Amino acid sequence: MGFQGGVADEESGTELSTKSKFRYNSPLVQVSLIGLVCFCCPGMFNALSGMGGGGQVDPTAANNANTALYTSFAVFGILGGGIYNVLGPHLTLAAGCSTYVLYAGSFLYYNHHKHQAFAIAAGGLLGVGAGLLWAGEGAIMTSYPPPNRKGTYISLFWSIFNMGGVIGGLIPFILNYHRNEATSVNDATYIGFMCFMSAGTLLSFAILPPNKVVRDDGTRCTNVKYSSVSTEAVEILKLFFNWKMLLIVPAAWASNFFYSYQFNNVNGLLFNLRTRGLNNVFYWGAQMLGSIGIGYILDFSFQSRRMRGFVGIGVVALLGSAIWGGGLANQLPYSHDHPPTRLDFKESAFAGPFVLYFSYGLLDAMFQSMVYWIIGALADDSQTLSRYSGFYKGVQSAGAAVAWQVDTHKVPLLSQLIVNWSLTTVSYPLLVLLVMLAVKDDKKTEEETPKEATVPSSNKDINTANST
């Protein structure tokens, strides 16, 4: 059956309507679906990590597990884009999601046996899975939307994804409301996380490959067939000599480096068990607000896309400086040797540190959404962007692996804060330079849209697309 204003379906020869944004094969629905997958898997992982120490009294096991996680993530984040291009979304995303379930299960085991080995091994496997998942997610989020609305779609994804952290924060808050501060979270907390993560694994099979996704103007995301292992190996190696990727390295390294400090040494040290869960509800809720705000600036603030990029970086830089300045004032009164008295959400002294932790979540979303927008502005095809996103996640994870060991070795808290603040600050001028040299304004982008982004106009094109 056909619809006026539709485009030909590659397999059946029928037409697909492009009038409704809520078509199953529309970018809006597909980006929403990958958002739900990340809601269930990394969203719940974030809630688990955000409690400090993975919900355990002693954070050593979680720190070592996270070191293993981000070490393998650094490798498979970089390789993930190539693997996604070879295997496609279903196998890549499902394999990645399944490792989140195992990780949460390892802490359920640790609750009873206190053996780190399972948690560390599960962390290493999760790093492999997370590399696959985030490379696929990055390709979908940056290549499926129209070029002039990538900021909006990134904020949509980020809002859905971080709702997982909000719901995930409620799980430990409710289930551990009356528990003693000297205990770890209960078994039901980890089981709840595992149920959500299992649902995300099943939901990943609903994601369509890029050549099946049709934008409202009738263009497809890409019509090239999946790549080969040799091609991807060469293209991934080229990333290490790509000047665009080298300019992103400081921002990528900084973008997860601050998690160990914020989770363990702000939320974990300043607040009691139930309050940490409540704080995470607002930390990840702040991420939703931050992504929406920066998404609007990056898509609608000026007609020139390059100017929108400059303004977005400027806003994040100013806000980041103010928030880290507040973090410095908050950090000065306590240290590892002089820990603070843990606060409950019912105490009046709770307000100031809570606002700071909320602001950290706001800044995280704005910073990462800004970087994803810049990556999305460097190309339009799924294959290139999957490699760029994988490189970003790989470098990001290498930084995180170092950060978790920094915390394990009890580096002074003030030093950790200063390093985090410095890393984000150094990245801003390099991102400005990247936007100046590599991001084209909207008119140029439309004129130079790559041929693979168009609907097949011949039987040869259709046959090539069908071979995927």
Side-chain angles (χ1 to χ4, degrees):
M1 61 183 174
F3 299 88
Q4 185 176 359
V7 295
D9 179 79
E10 293 174 333
E11 291 186 351
S12 64
T14 59
E15 289 189 334
L16 298 171
S17 171
T18 58
K19 289 187 176 181
S20 172
K21 292 183 178 180
F22 297 99
R23 291 174 289 108
Y24 179 64
N25 66 335
S26 69
L28 178 65
V29 170
Q30 291 299 308
V31 170
S32 298
L33 283 173
I34 192 64
L36 287 172
V37 170
C38 291
F39 167 101
C40 292
C41 294
M44 293 298 154
F45 168 83
N46 283 345
L48 176 61
S49 298
M51 291 186 294
Q56 299 293 314
V57 175
D58 183 357
T60 303
N63 284 353
N64 289 333
N66 279 316
T67 300
L69 189 167
Y70 287 107
T71 300
S72 58
F73 195 170
V75 176
F76 280 86
I78 294 172
L79 298 177
I83 295 172
Y84 173 83
N85 288 341
V86 173
L87 299 181
H90 291 157
L91 290 176
T92 306
L93 297 177
C97 289
S98 63
T99 59
Y100 285 85
V101 186
L102 181 66
Y103 181 80
S106 73
F107 280 92
L108 177 62
Y109 173 85
Y110 187 82
N111 242 8
H112 295 273
H113 302 285
K114 304 302 178 185
H115 297 154
Q116 290 188 41
F118 184 17
I120 294 172
L125 287 173
L126 177 55
V128 176
L132 301 180
L133 172 60
W134 282 104
E137 174 277 332
I140 291 167
M141 186 175 67
T142 55
S143 69
Y144 284 19
N148 63 340
R149 289 294 177 266
K150 291 190 178 185
T152 302
Y153 280 77
I154 290 170
S155 66
L156 170 67
F157 163 81
W158 213 259
S159 297
I160 298 172
F161 156 50
N162 283 299
M163 182 59 74
V166 173
I167 303 299
L170 287 173
I171 293 174
F173 175 67
I174 294 171
L175 296 179
N176 300 277
Y177 189 86
H178 297 294
R179 287 175 69 83
N180 190 301
E181 174 57 31
T183 61
S184 301
V185 299
N186 58 17
D187 290 354
T189 303
Y190 294 118
I191 293 171
F193 286 137
M194 292 173 70
C195 290
F196 275 102
M197 292 169 176
S198 298
T201 303
L202 295 175
L203 189 60
S204 66
F205 289 101
I207 304 296
L208 291 176
N211 66 305
K212 304 297 183 186
V213 179
V214 184
R215 301 187 182 110
D216 292 340
D217 62 0
T219 60
R220 297 185 190 273
C221 297
T222 182
N223 285 322
V224 295
K225 59 184 178 181
Y226 290 130
S227 186
S228 65
V229 174
S230 58
T231 298
E232 292 304 319
V234 172
E235 293 301 323
I236 289 170
L237 285 174
K238 288 181 180 178
L239 294 174
F240 292 91
F241 304 96
N242 185 324
W243 65 270
K244 299 174 186 176
M245 294 297 98
L246 294 179
L247 288 176
I248 283 177
V249 164
W253 186 275
S255 59
N256 270 188
F257 199 87
F258 46 68
Y259 277 165
S260 60
Y261 171 77
Q262 293 175 0
F263 293 161
N264 284 359
N265 303 317
V266 179
N267 199 31
L269 283 181
L270 289 178
F271 305 99
N272 63 21
L273 181 62
R274 67 181 185 182
T275 304
R276 294 201 294 271
L278 179 65
N279 287 348
N280 276 333
V281 173
F282 288 92
Y283 181 93
W284 301 112
Q287 298 240 355
M288 298 167 65
L289 296 176
S291 63
I292 292 171
I294 195 66
Y296 180 85
I297 291 172
L298 292 171
D299 273 356
F300 299 107
S301 58
F302 290 90
Q303 185 173 2
S304 164
R305 179 161 68 172
R306 189 179 291 128
M307 179 58 68
R308 296 197 301 269
F310 292 148
V311 172
I313 296 169
V315 168
V316 174
L318 289 173
L319 186 63
S321 298
I323 291 172
W324 282 114
L328 176 62
N330 177 77
Q331 182 58 71
L332 292 176
Y334 72 95
S335 65
H336 283 307
D337 297 328
H338 299 90
T341 301
R342 295 182 190 271
L343 298 169
D344 186 79
F345 72 94
K346 294 183 178 180
E347 299 174 18
S348 59
F350 161 78
F354 166 77
V355 171
L356 173 66
Y357 192 63
F358 178 91
S359 300
Y360 279 145
L362 190 77
L363 178 62
D364 178 24
M366 296 182 74
F367 187 88
Q368 292 208 59
S369 296
M370 172 191 69
V371 177
Y372 267 119
W373 181 90
I374 293 171
I375 291 173
L378 299 179
D380 281 323
D381 67 283
S382 174
Q383 287 192 320
T384 300
L385 289 173
S386 68
R387 298 179 194 121
Y388 286 178
S389 299
F391 182 86
Y392 168 69
K393 296 301 293 188
V395 175
Q396 180 188 70
S397 301
V402 173
W404 287 104
Q405 278 305 295
V406 164
D407 189 60
T408 298
H409 287 82
K410 304 299 181 184
V411 171
L413 302 183
L414 185 59
S415 298
Q416 291 189 41
L417 181 143
I418 292 172
V419 169
N420 282 311
W421 191 354
S422 300
L423 283 171
T424 54
T425 301
V426 166
S427 68
Y428 298 129
L430 299 179
L431 292 176
V432 168
L433 183 62
L434 180 59
V435 171
M436 184 183 302
L437 298 177
V439 174
K440 300 172 183 175
D441 283 332
D442 292 331
K443 289 183 179 179
K444 290 183 180 180
T445 302
E446 292 169 3
E447 291 171 1
E448 300 174 13
T449 299
K451 293 180 181 179
E452 63 265 29
T454 60
V455 181
S457 58
S458 68
N459 291 332
K460 180 179 179 182
D461 291 336
I462 293 175
N463 290 334
T464 300
N466 280 337
S467 67
T468 65

